[in-house]
Amino acid sequence: MTIPLSYYLVLSGILFACGVMGFLIKRNIITIFMSIELMLNGVNLSFVAFAAKWGQLSGQVFVFFVMVVAAAEAAVGLAIIIAVFRTRETLNIDQVNLLKL
Amino acid sequence: MLNLHLILFLVFGAICVAGAVNLLLQRHPINSALSLVVVMGALAVEYLLLGAEFVAAVQVIVYAGAIMVLFVFVIMLLNAGEEERTGGSHVAWILGVPGMLAGAVIICWALLRHGNTGDVSIGQLPGHPADIAQLLFHQFLLPFEVTSILVLIAIMGAVVLAAPPESVQGSKREAK
C-alpha cells in the first residue's frame, strides 16, 4: 500500500506550473489572483507529501500557516481589486498600468 | 502493483489537473472560480490519502469554503464579465509559457526517472488534530501568534481598502 513520493511531487509540480501559466496568460485580474491560489495549493501538496515521507508533523503545521497567509492575502488582494475597479471601472490587467489610483 | 490507494490517487490527481487546466481555459471568472473549488476538493482527498486528516478538513473549510466564497462574492459584486482577449504581454507568451512548460516537463522527468525519493505508505503519519495542536502550541507558538497579528492587520487593511473613498476621507476629517 505505497505510492512513490515522486507521484505526489509531480502532481504538485503540474499544479504549480498551471498556476504560473494562468498568471502569465490570463488577462482578468481576479483570475490571475486565483492562479496564485492554485500555486499555493501545489506547494501545500508537496509540504504534506514530504511530511508523510519523513514522518514529521511540522510539515502539516507549515501547511496551516500557508493557509492562514493565503486567507489574509485573499482578503487584502480582493479589497485592492475592489478599490481598483472603483477608480478604473475595469478588471482587465492591461488597462491597469499606472501605479497611482 | 495497482492497489486501491494508487487508483484513488490517480483518479483524484486527474480531477485536480483537469480542474487546473479548466481554470486556464475558461474565459468567465465564475467558471474559473468553480473549477478552482474542484481542484481544492480533490486536493483534500489527496491529503486524506496521505493521512493528513486535519489538513484535509482545513483545506475544505478554509480554502474551498471561506476563500472561494470571498472570490465568488467579489466576482458577483463587481459583475465581472468575460475577459477580453487583448493579447497581453508578448514577452509572457514568447518566453514565459514555453519556459514554464519546459521547466515543468524537466522537473517531472527528473523526478520520475532519477528521483530516488522512495515510497510513501498510506496513512503512516496520522495527522490527528491533537498531535498538530501539541506541535502548534508548543514548538510553533511564536509563529502562531505572529500569524494572528498578520490576520488582524489583514482585516484592518481589507476594511480600509474596500471602504468607499468618501467614508475614509470623512473619518479622517472627523479625526481632525
Side-chain angles (χ1 to χ4, degrees):
Chain A
M1 285 295 188
T2 59
I3 294 178
L5 176 66
S6 48
Y7 286 13
Y8 283 103
L9 297 182
V10 164
L11 178 61
S12 148
I14 289 172
L15 287 181
F16 191 87
C18 283
V20 176
M21 210 102 81
F23 189 86
L24 288 174
I25 67 176
K26 297 304 267 189
R27 293 293 103 199
N28 189 306
I29 195 167
I30 298 177
T31 321
I32 288 176
F33 208 53
M34 283 192 274
S35 309
I36 298 176
E37 298 291 331
L38 191 60
M39 283 190 257
L40 285 169
N41 269 290
V43 172
N44 278 351
L45 181 62
S46 61
F47 260 128
V48 176
F50 276 119
K53 164 72 181 165
W54 301 112
Q56 295 278 328
L57 265 180
S58 44
Q60 298 186 13
V61 176
F62 272 99
V63 170
F64 178 74
F65 286 138
V66 170
M67 281 179 184
V68 173
V69 173
E73 172 227 337
V76 174
L78 288 170
I80 291 174
I81 289 173
I82 290 176
V84 166
F85 185 78
R86 203 174 269 138
T87 52
R88 288 300 171 91
E89 300 285 326
T90 182
L91 287 174
N92 191 325
I93 200 79
D94 289 328
Q95 292 168 23
V96 186
N97 47 10
L98 293 177
L99 267 181
K100 60 182 182 183
L101 280 177
Chain B
M1 186 63 197
L2 205 64
N3 53 42
L4 179 64
H5 284 115
L6 185 58
I7 293 170
L8 279 174
F9 169 82
L10 289 177
V11 167
F12 283 97
I15 292 174
C16 251
V17 174
V21 171
N22 194 38
L23 189 151
L24 297 183
L25 294 181
Q26 292 292 333
R27 293 183 61 185
H28 202 288
I30 201 85
N31 297 345
S32 298
L34 293 180
S35 43
L36 192 54
V37 173
V38 171
V39 173
M40 286 164 175
L43 268 180
V45 178
E46 302 277 352
Y47 293 154
L48 272 183
L49 285 179
L50 281 168
E53 304 157 8
F54 175 73
V55 174
V58 171
Q59 169 90 3
V60 171
I61 293 169
V62 174
Y63 257 128
I67 294 182
M68 291 321 293
V69 165
L70 204 59
F71 269 99
V72 173
F73 174 75
V74 169
I75 290 170
M76 293 191 167
L77 179 74
L78 300 184
N79 200 11
E82 290 196 0
E83 66 176 342
E84 309 115 41
R85 285 276 157 83
T86 49
S89 160
H90 292 292
V91 180
W93 274 102
I94 295 165
L95 287 179
V97 175
M100 199 57 228
L101 276 176
V105 168
I106 287 172
I107 287 176
C108 290
W109 180 76
L111 277 171
L112 288 177
R113 186 75 193 280
H114 299 291
N116 192 14
T117 44
D119 292 347
V120 180
S121 58
I122 296 303
Q124 71 178 7
L125 180 74
H128 290 306
D131 300 336
I132 291 184
Q134 186 77 20
L135 209 56
L136 198 57
F137 291 108
H138 285 91
Q139 197 181 339
F140 292 99
L141 184 60
L142 182 64
F144 181 78
E145 296 297 337
V146 171
T147 41
S148 71
I149 296 172
L150 176 78
V151 169
L152 181 67
I153 294 171
I155 292 169
M156 292 192 295
V159 169
V160 169
L161 282 170
E166 309 89 50
S167 71
V168 176
Q169 283 166 4
S171 59
K172 270 183 197 160
R173 234 174 276 133
E174 281 165 24
K176 280 174 190 170

